[in-house]
Amino acid sequence: MTATTEVGGTGASRPEVGKARLRKEDRHLVTGRSRFTDNMVLPGMLHLAMVRSPFAHAKITAVDTAAAKSSPGVVAVLTGADVAGEQGSVPNVWPITPEQKGPDHPSIAVDEVAFAGEVVAVIVARTAAAARDAVELVDVSYDELPVVMDLEEAFTDKVLAHTSLESNLSATWVFDSAEAGTGSSVQEAIDNAEVLIERTFYQQRLIPAFMEPRSIVVDPTGEQVTMWSSTQVPHIARLMVALTLGIPESKVRVIAPDVGGGFGGKLQVVPEEFITVMAARRTGKPCKYTETRSESLQAGHHGRAQVQRLKLAARKDGTVTGLSVNLLADMGAYLGLIGSGIPILGAFMYNGIYKFPAYRLECNNIFTNKAWTGAYRGAGRPEATFAVERMMDELATELGMDPLAVRETNWIRHEEFPFTTVAGLEYDTGNYEAATSKAVDHFDYEGLRAEQKRRRDANDPVQLGIGVSTFTEMCGLAPSRVLGALNYAAGGWEHAQVRVLPTGNIEVVTGTSPHGQGHETAWSQLVADKLGVPFENVEVLHGDTQISQRGLDTYGSRSLVVGGMAVLAAADKVIEKAKAVAAHLMEASEEDIEFVNGSFTVKGTEQSTAFGDVAFATFSAHNLPDGFEPNLDSDATFDPANFSYPHGTHLAAIEVDTETGHVGILKYVCVDDVGVVVNPLLVEGQVHGGLAQGIAQALYEEAVYDDAGTLVTGSFVDYLVPGAADLPHYITARTETPATSNQLGAKGVGEAGTIASTPAIVNGILDAVRHLGVKDIKMPCTPSRVWHALEEAKTTGGVR
Amino acid sequence: MASSKTITVEVDDVSYTDDVEPRLLLVQYLRERLGKTGTLVGCDTTNCGACTVHLDGVSVKSCTMLAVQADGHQVTTIEGMATDGRLAPLQEAFHQCHALQCGFCTPGMIMQSASLLTENPHPSEQEIRDGLEGNLCRCTGYQNIVAAVRSVADGTVYGDSGVSTTVGETETAGVS
Ligand code: FES
Ligand code: FES
């Protein structure tokens, strides 16, 4: 199905949308003229360094700052007690149930620390080196308390992560299709199952590991507090600073300049932001805090960290009759801004692309003595997709079916859209058949199956497996009513402004806040088509709450499908306003004016006036309709009625060396359907980056703590972010079924690669070694884990 | 704190003489003293490569060297790569191949790639990947970075700016 969705209401051709435009963003970044926060220097600027708890759980009995205070260059030392009245509690804005519990979370710990890395004191000094030197001089006395690190153990409440809580349970959230009226009873499905698959999966803790460590600069001079922060969410940060520290919003300005990646990790308003504001206000001087990588890994938020217990009921022909999911979700020591809601985002996706008739999910959010958790690329949805795609493979194995055939037996057929799922979502469009058959073609599925058989028959030491993963996700985090129904405190709309300059050049102000996605380029393409102006004549402004006055920022693949739509809606209003001026200038009636290819034309005549001329006439204001305000600027807010649902099929050919446990990716094919594509180059880049992160979960990354609560993977030496040689060449292709929840037809792409690739890789590994008796391997599937699984299979009777 | 030492370093064709503390890292000297903020810091364990510069033409991680060790040497940073407002081939290639997203790893990647191509002007894909081992990128998945380095090695970098280059064997136009 070819995309024919009209972007403009203008009848304009669409030379830009769909074109692989090179990025406007690049030039300053490739020449080293970047504006990352840590590059900023302000007159008289002071530097912060944090004194962090080495213990995962302890009472603070005394904090002696005398020696640090007299250290050279030190201007001030702040403790929790010093700022007790001022610092508020670091906010959580997603009480998933009215009963949700959480400990108070001061930015600087006052009398108890609950994870290693928590801030207990802050040095403010004239240089960064002086601040770091003085960290050693702060003498903190602790009484160590027992720690609880393991999620399943935490659920038993034998050891409490906080002395202030009676239980480690923060909240229990339940969805039941029979109760919700979206499906039948899971218990019945299980009781009557011809086949029942039960599995437990561990979603290891991951660290977003954006390349730019967090940096914050706060200038308190003047009437306003200005904060530059390496954040994905300047608007949300501004509101949280205002609410937490009791400063009116109008006195807070947040600027996100160049931001070196986020992946959800910078969708968190962190204690360090509040601390830097407090330090700047106390000293009256600009203050900077830049975390080290170790601090970033230790005290920044982590993702995933769930135990998933599943029961899948099915008939012998492969038809799934019900799915029950029991989740334990590790919150870490505190509730992050939206950490409590991450499992809920996944809860709606455990039915994947399938027509499950019955579904139940129970989620328990649990505290442990670890860093808090929050969004990490995909946020809840990769976990869900992993689980269901692993279960589909297990079902296929149980029934001796091809994994693609099992999926096809259950998926929603393209003619059945729109389709309301058992989880209550309405999938608007999709074509799983098309994406899958395209992936199969590109992959040479039959050929690789034959090669797999050959290696099996030959007892080749390097076995071949084929990993299948299909997915859909819920993108475009918006519908404010839906978010409200889920108890999320804010809405999900997005705002944009389109400003027309005297020359007819355009300034677009967007409420979204990019950190590598290429909004400037994509938004320019949208507006160039819409207003019929050259791509180069559009300037996109973002990431400064004083310029972009309203917005809800960038996460959850919402920017294009929500923010881009707001831009288009604002541009529509510009055209409407300009029509009145054009009509007046050409002495025609407004109804007779058409806007085509950047000019206003009187219908049925040759008479026409260019957009730029209307812009200048409006600016000069010499001859405007009576009462017309001399500007064409417009703004709009877009709040879609539904999410969008990108989908795709990923296939991986995996080689497993049975002698060493080494896993290699022979071939990786993904076909994604992200609806209408504004810029294929940007889409492809997002897919590549997403794949890298998903593959990394399958093979490399895990945040590991020891029993005492120390993060063992506290640097890039131990936390294995893959390098170029660790990742394969990806073959990417697309199908295109336009979304109907927005006029553009776009679906969102940022998380796709991550969501689908993890199960594709793990399914591939298991497909390679299942015949040797291996039933499951915990992620990350490192050589040692794979080797041990093979060895264990030998001793437990796996055939070799 | 040990007393300071005077060093003379030529950075991007300009000679600087400064008093520095012996413990000052080269990257701090470049960023904080010379204002060369194009060179970035992504880690504290010499793993990420964001800080890569050239010392006498060879890539080094400037977070792993002391400024005093650069005394009497020539340093090139990302800011010295473009000449007369014209991007160096690798800079152009990174742009054309969409080999950067957030751009934080990019200066280090470009400096390392330049060094790689000096040592081996015609690397295979695997040699490029191995050569970039010490430089982490969290955004791109590396494929387009490899393509950028490749295109410079193959001499195909200067295309019609504004039009996409085909990256690898990736199919991008798939509308069914
Ligand atoms: S900052 Fe030098 S290698 Fe990471
Ligand atoms: S482009 Fe973001 S880290 Fe490489």
Side-chain angles (χ1 to χ4, degrees):
Chain A
M1 56 248 78
T2 308
T4 49
T5 317
E6 192 58 65
V7 176
T10 65
S13 61
R14 291 170 45 189
E16 287 294 342
V17 168
K19 184 170 173 179
R21 270 284 186 191
L22 296 182
R23 293 204 319 171
K24 288 187 165 182
E25 288 87 342
D26 290 349
R27 199 177 166 91
H28 75 284
L29 296 170
V30 298
T31 52
R33 289 159 194 268
S34 52
R35 297 153 301 168
F36 293 105
T37 302
D38 190 45
N39 295 356
M40 292 210 31
V41 178
L42 294 177
M45 189 168 81
L46 303 174
H47 297 261
L48 269 52
M50 305 296 162
V51 178
R52 294 180 183 275
S53 167
F55 300 112
H57 195 191
K59 283 270 176 216
I60 301 168
T61 53
V63 185
D64 181 353
T65 60
K69 274 185 177 142
S70 54
S71 177
V74 171
V75 174
V77 181
L78 304 180
T79 65
D82 293 333
V83 297
E86 183 184 345
Q87 65 175 338
S89 185
V90 178
N92 165 269
V93 299
W94 202 335
I96 57 167
T97 65
E99 299 81 29
Q100 174 175 295
K101 290 188 182 57
D104 191 46
H105 185 190
S107 297
I108 308 176
V110 180
D111 45 33
E112 184 171 326
V113 286
F115 74 98
E118 218 178 321
V119 177
V120 287
V122 181
I123 312 284
V124 187
R126 286 180 48 217
T127 67
R132 275 193 299 271
D133 286 342
V135 165
E136 308 295 324
L137 302 174
V138 176
D139 187 9
V140 186
S141 310
Y142 298 95
D143 273 354
E144 276 188 78
L145 292 164
V147 298
V148 56
M149 303 306 293
D150 181 77
L151 183 52
E152 288 167 290
E153 195 186 308
F155 193 37
T156 67
D157 284 338
K158 278 189 199 123
V159 176
L160 295 177
H162 291 268
T163 55
S164 62
L165 298 180
E166 280 154 18
S167 157
N168 292 320
L169 180 66
S170 173
T172 300
W173 186 94
V174 179
F175 178 89
D176 187 310
S177 62
E179 280 165 28
T182 55
S184 47
S185 152
V186 169
Q187 197 51 52
E188 263 171 44
I190 290 172
D191 292 345
N192 300 320
E194 291 175 6
V195 187
L196 186 67
I197 313 277
E198 294 187 58
R199 289 287 183 279
T200 299
F201 299 125
Y202 295 87
Q203 294 284 330
Q204 79 268 35
R205 259 183 184 251
L206 297 180
I207 308 185
F210 34 76
M211 279 299 128
E212 179 210 14
R214 277 249 193 204
S215 183
I216 303 146
V217 171
V218 175
D219 185 357
T221 53
E223 286 300 303
Q224 251 184 350
V225 171
T226 303
M227 175 166 86
W228 289 261
S229 182
S230 176
T231 178
Q232 290 174 233
V233 290
H235 294 92
I236 295 173
R238 178 204 200 198
L239 180 60
M240 293 306 137
V241 166
L243 292 175
T244 305
L245 300 180
I247 311 171
E249 291 116 288
S250 58
K251 299 280 186 211
V252 183
R253 175 184 185 183
V254 177
I255 302 170
D258 285 334
V259 174
F263 319 111
K266 289 173 181 169
L267 161 52
Q268 182 77 269
V269 185
V270 295
E272 290 83 350
E273 285 172 309
F274 302 120
I275 288 170
T276 311
V277 172
M278 290 190 288
R281 299 225 300 165
R282 278 168 179 253
T283 57
K285 292 271 177 58
C287 284
K288 180 195 275 186
Y289 171 69
T290 300
E291 68 186 9
T292 64
R293 175 58 54 185
S294 312
E295 286 178 297
S296 185
L297 297 175
Q298 186 189 35
H301 88 221
H302 298 171
R304 311 284 189 265
Q306 296 180 1
V307 177
Q308 307 164 301
R309 297 197 190 99
L310 296 100
K311 287 183 193 164
L312 183 85
R315 289 203 297 264
K316 285 207 175 96
D317 66 358
T319 310
V320 174
T321 52
L323 174 69
S324 152
V325 182
N326 197 294
L327 276 189
L328 297 184
D330 187 352
M331 297 291 102
Y334 296 101
L335 295 177
L337 190 71
I338 62 162
S340 45
I342 301 298
I344 312 305
L345 288 176
F348 295 95
M349 303 311 302
Y350 276 85
N351 54 283
I353 63 168
Y354 308 113
K355 292 184 276 192
F356 293 171
Y359 170 59
R360 182 178 192 279
L361 178 138
E362 177 179 318
C363 168
N364 292 293
N365 284 351
I366 315 279
F367 293 110
T368 58
N369 294 113
K370 300 182 192 169
W372 56 4
T373 55
Y376 173 53
R377 205 162 189 169
R381 291 150 291 174
E383 296 92 313
T385 302
F386 179 88
V388 68
E389 288 304 296
R390 284 284 296 105
M391 291 304 264
M392 294 311 268
D393 261 35
E394 293 300 320
L395 179 61
T397 304
E398 180 76 28
L399 297 172
M401 285 175 81
D402 181 277
L404 282 172
V406 157
R407 287 168 172 84
E408 190 167 355
T409 304
N410 290 285
W411 72 36
I412 303 157
R413 309 198 59 81
H414 74 273
E415 66 270 12
E416 292 174 300
F417 288 94
F419 184 91
T420 303
T421 73
V422 74
L425 296 179
E426 189 187 298
Y427 292 177
D428 58 342
T429 61
N431 189 335
Y432 308 141
E433 295 93 324
T436 303
S437 74
K438 195 165 192 169
V440 165
D441 289 350
H442 277 68
F443 190 67
D444 182 22
Y445 192 77
E446 293 308 320
L448 284 161
R449 281 283 180 217
E451 170 64 13
Q452 176 181 42
K453 181 166 183 318
R454 192 194 65 71
R455 292 199 199 181
R456 269 189 206 173
D457 293 347
N459 210 11
D460 196 314
V462 181
Q463 289 289 314
L464 185 67
I466 294 177
V468 173
S469 161
T470 53
F471 83 104
T472 184
E473 62 166 320
M474 142 182 123
C475 264
L477 284 189
S480 297
R481 283 187 190 177
V482 178
L483 295 180
L486 294 173
N487 297 323
Y488 179 62
W493 47 264
E494 196 45 80
H495 176 258
Q497 194 181 21
V498 173
R499 305 200 294 227
V500 182
L501 304 181
T503 53
N505 285 349
I506 305 296
E507 273 177 354
V508 176
V509 182
T510 173
T512 60
S513 190
H515 33 284
Q517 294 92 339
H519 293 184
E520 291 172 31
T521 303
W523 282 207
S524 295
Q525 289 178 277
L526 288 178
V527 170
D529 276 354
K530 186 80 169 177
L531 297 181
V533 299
F535 170 78
E536 294 75 19
N537 294 11
V538 185
E539 195 71 43
V540 178
L541 309 175
H542 56 74
D544 178 345
T545 59
Q546 197 131 302
I547 293 169
S548 163
Q549 290 144 357
R550 279 188 294 285
L552 285 162
D553 310 313
T554 288
Y555 42 87
S557 294
R558 67 190 299 278
S559 288
L560 180 61
V561 296
V562 192
M565 280 303 300
V567 169
L568 287 175
D572 268 329
K573 291 186 182 173
V574 167
I575 295 168
E576 277 318 300
K577 282 174 92 171
K579 259 185 193 169
V581 177
H584 180 77
L585 293 175
M586 294 188 284
E587 297 176 347
S589 118
E590 219 178 304
E591 293 78 62
D592 291 338
I593 303 290
E594 285 177 319
F595 184 58
V596 184
N597 290 335
S599 287
F600 295 92
T601 304
V602 183
K603 273 181 212 161
T605 75
E606 296 284 285
Q607 227 191 329
S608 125
T609 178
F611 182 81
D613 295 335
V614 175
F616 194 81
T618 309
F619 163 73
S620 70
H622 296 165
N623 179 21
L624 293 177
D626 287 343
F628 191 90
E629 288 181 34
N631 76 71
L632 299 176
D633 302 353
S634 298
D635 63 354
T637 303
F638 181 73
D639 196 351
N642 192 0
F643 299 103
S644 56
Y645 300 95
H647 68 81
T649 301
H650 290 212
L651 297 173
I654 303 290
E655 290 185 313
V656 178
D657 187 329
T658 55
E659 286 164 358
T660 63
H662 178 265
V663 173
I665 303 172
L666 188 64
K667 191 171 192 180
Y668 197 98
V669 170
C670 65
V671 176
D672 285 298
D673 192 324
V674 298
V676 171
V677 166
V678 174
N679 184 328
L681 207 63
L682 298 181
V683 164
E684 194 182 300
Q686 288 288 308
V687 170
H688 289 178
L691 290 174
Q693 291 182 356
I695 294 169
Q697 172 167 18
L699 296 181
Y700 303 112
E701 295 182 23
E702 179 172 24
V704 181
Y705 287 87
D706 67 14
D707 293 342
T710 304
L711 181 66
V712 178
T713 53
S715 79
F716 277 158
V717 175
D718 310 291
Y719 190 80
L720 297 182
V721 170
D726 302 317
L727 292 167
H729 181 90
Y730 324 108
I731 298 165
T732 64
R734 289 197 307 276
T735 55
E736 188 166 308
T737 50
T740 57
S741 59
N742 65 73
Q743 183 196 10
L744 183 56
K747 295 181 175 178
V749 66
E751 299 154 316
T754 308
I755 292 175
S757 56
T758 314
I761 301 292
V762 176
N763 278 339
I765 295 170
L766 289 167
D767 189 49
V769 297
R770 205 178 260 120
H771 67 290
L772 302 174
V774 176
K775 293 198 173 61
D776 201 2
I777 301 174
K778 269 192 196 176
M779 294 188 290
C781 302
T782 56
S784 124
R785 282 207 180 134
V786 174
W787 187 83
H788 275 111
L790 283 160
E791 288 301 302
E792 198 186 301
K794 277 186 210 162
T795 58
T796 55
V799 247
R800 172 77 223 236
Chain B
M1 231 172 290
S3 56
S4 63
K5 183 177 183 315
T6 305
I7 59 169
T8 300
V9 192
E10 190 178 316
V11 182
D12 298 337
D13 294 331
V14 177
S15 176
Y16 298 86
T17 299
D18 280 294
D19 290 340
V20 297
E21 262 187 70
R23 70 172 180 174
L24 189 75
L25 299 173
L26 178 59
V27 68
Q28 293 172 323
Y29 175 66
L30 295 171
R31 287 177 57 80
E32 292 161 21
R33 297 291 286 276
L34 306 189
K36 296 255 175 198
T37 52
T39 303
L40 299 161
V41 178
C43 73
D44 33 42
T45 48
T46 320
N47 287 88
C48 78
C51 63
T52 307
V53 299
H54 293 171
L55 187 80
D56 302 329
V58 178
S59 66
V60 293
K61 291 182 172 176
S62 61
C63 71
T64 312
M65 271 191 66
L66 298 168
V68 291
Q69 291 175 290
D71 186 20
H73 292 273
Q74 244 183 10
V75 173
T76 307
T77 76
I78 188 72
E79 285 151 88
M81 290 296 270
T83 39
D84 303 330
R86 189 176 158 82
L87 298 183
L90 274 166
Q91 291 174 312
E92 183 67 33
F94 269 64
H95 172 54
Q96 293 213 11
C97 296
H98 187 35
L100 64 150
Q101 290 181 28
C102 77
F104 194 81
C105 70
T106 309
M109 282 286 179
I110 290 176
M111 300 313 284
Q112 179 58 25
S113 302
S115 196
L116 171 75
L117 290 177
T118 310
E119 271 171 48
N120 179 1
H122 300 290
S124 66
E125 163 157 354
Q126 196 54 48
E127 285 170 338
I128 296 172
R129 288 183 180 269
D130 290 341
L132 296 175
E133 199 180 21
N135 290 65
L136 297 177
C137 174
R138 194 58 157 172
C139 302
T140 65
Y142 301 104
Q143 186 153 316
N144 289 354
I145 293 177
V146 173
V149 178
R150 167 77 313 128
S151 72
V152 173
D154 295 348
T156 56
V157 46
Y158 289 106
D160 178 13
S161 233
V163 179
S164 153
T165 47
T166 309
V167 178
E169 61 190 78
T170 298
E171 179 196 330
T172 53
V175 176
S176 69

